[in-house]
Each structure stands twice: as structure tokens, then as C-alpha cells.
Amino acid sequence: MIGTDIHPHATLPRHAKETLLGQKGIVLWFCGLSGSGKSTIAGALEQVLHDQGRFCIRLDGDNLRAGLNGNLGFTDDDRLENIRRTAELSKLLAANGVIVLCSLITPRGELRDLARGILGSDFSEIYVKASYAACEARDPKGLYAKAANGNVAHFTGRDSVFEEPQEPSLTLDTERLSVEDATFEVLEFLRTKRVIA
């Protein structure tokens, strides 16, 4: 809650920023297990949007935890604060016409609901779907091997639950789709939402 000594300042209206950029602000919230392909798809999408002259920012869970959220662990309370901070930052960016690509595991429905509550109509949940076995086989960061040896606490999908989204805006099954095909599906979604032409 905003204290009585805090007085947020008005900025230029959102439509002015969106007109300047030739796009609409939105937050694409990529959630899924570690290794499902969230960051890979978001990175490919960022490149395509950049090449098209679109202004987007990618907020990756690992990068955020290296700075803004560097003081947070993986307990339930820390995960909640991680999502809250990221959603609030994303809200500011989207309100200024930026296409925001968030890649965070976001394992529980209540965490995604928190982000949705903060972001409102700017929030689009993109479920990057892959089974634990598929992600374990990929294991791009070596985390699954460490978790199997008991060296990673609160590992999502093993020690702590991942709740599949019930009604995501878009589902990308990375056991079926290539990175290119998944990226194309997100671009089509953005066109449908009239974020880009």
C-alpha cells in the first residue's frame, strides 16, 4: 500500500508512447519447468521483434535473480516476492508501450494469479509445456543432474510442485514444436491481440 508520504508523478499518456513506438504494451509471461524452453523461445522472439523494429525487453528469471531479485531464494515466500517485483517492473514497462517478455518458472497458480492481478489486461500467460522427463533429458544448466543427487533444494517438479496453468492465453508444447514454430505462434498471438501489425 502506498504511504501518505509517497506521491507518484503522472507521466505522458500511454497512447502517446504506444503511438511513438508503433506498438502496444503487453507482458508475455512465459511459465514452465526449467529446461522447457521459456528463455530460448523468448530470446528467439526478442530477436525477431527487434529485427522488425519493435521495442521489447526480456526479463529472465536467472538475470533478475542476479540483480534485482538477488536477495531472494526459492522458498514459497521468496518465490512470491520474486514474482511481485517482476510483475511491478513489467507493469511500468508495459504502461510505456514496451513489449515485455518474462521468462520465469512461476510454478504455482497463486503466483501467476498474483502477476495477473498486478498486470491486469496487460498480462498474457504463455505456458511452455514439456514433461519433467523431457526437461531432465535436455538439462541445459545441469540442474536436473544436481537435483537427482540432492544438491538443489526446492527443485520444481521434483521437490516442489509445478501446477499446470488451467486457461493459459497460449500453450507451446516444446516436445512437439520447434523453437521457430513456437516463435511463430507467439507472433501470431501478438498480431491477434493487435500488439503489432
Side-chain angles (χ1 to χ4, degrees):
M1 182 168 194
I2 297 176
T4 56
D5 56 341
I6 304 294
H7 303 280
H9 293 275
T11 61
L12 286 171
R14 178 173 182 154
H15 69 83
K17 304 286 184 77
E18 291 179 333
T19 300
L20 175 68
L21 294 171
Q23 63 188 40
K24 291 184 178 177
I26 193 172
V27 179
L28 301 182
W29 197 281
F30 294 87
C31 64
L33 291 173
S34 177
S36 62
K38 300 179 301 299
S39 296
T40 301
I41 294 167
L45 180 63
E46 180 185 32
Q47 186 64 60
V48 171
L49 290 170
H50 178 79
D51 292 345
Q52 292 179 353
R54 306 294 180 185
F55 185 55
C56 62
I57 290 179
R58 188 156 59 104
L59 301 178
D60 186 86
D62 286 342
N63 293 350
L64 289 165
R65 284 182 177 277
L68 178 67
N69 297 336
N71 64 323
L72 301 174
F74 293 91
T75 65
D76 287 348
D77 286 345
D78 282 355
R79 283 184 187 273
L80 188 141
E81 179 60 13
N82 181 48
I83 298 306
R84 188 195 69 78
R85 290 182 194 176
T86 304
E88 291 288 0
L89 174 57
S90 300
K91 180 179 180 178
L92 292 171
L93 293 168
N96 283 278
V98 180
I99 299 170
V100 186
L101 314 176
C102 293
S103 307
L104 295 97
I105 293 172
T106 330
R108 298 194 317 278
E110 68 173 316
L111 297 174
R112 296 187 293 270
D113 287 345
L114 171 65
R116 184 180 289 106
I118 291 169
L119 291 161
S121 61
D122 286 333
F123 179 86
S124 290
E125 183 178 48
I126 311 292
Y127 175 32
V128 184
K129 181 178 181 179
S131 66
Y132 188 92
C135 294
E136 186 175 32
R138 296 170 186 167
D139 202 9
K141 302 172 190 173
L143 294 175
Y144 284 85
K146 289 179 181 177
N149 292 326
N151 296 325
V152 179
H154 309 291
F155 192 69
T156 304
R158 182 178 187 271
D159 306 313
S160 62
V161 69
F162 180 87
E163 299 170 2
E164 288 199 12
Q166 297 303 303
E167 295 182 15
S169 303
L170 182 66
T171 298
L172 303 172
D173 184 345
T174 60
E175 293 185 62
R176 182 178 60 84
L177 293 171
S178 67
V179 173
E180 294 77 16
D181 288 342
T183 302
F184 178 79
E185 287 202 16
V186 183
L187 286 168
E188 285 301 299
F189 173 77
L190 289 173
R191 290 188 186 99
T192 301
K193 298 277 284 183
R194 296 184 177 171
V195 172
I196 59 175

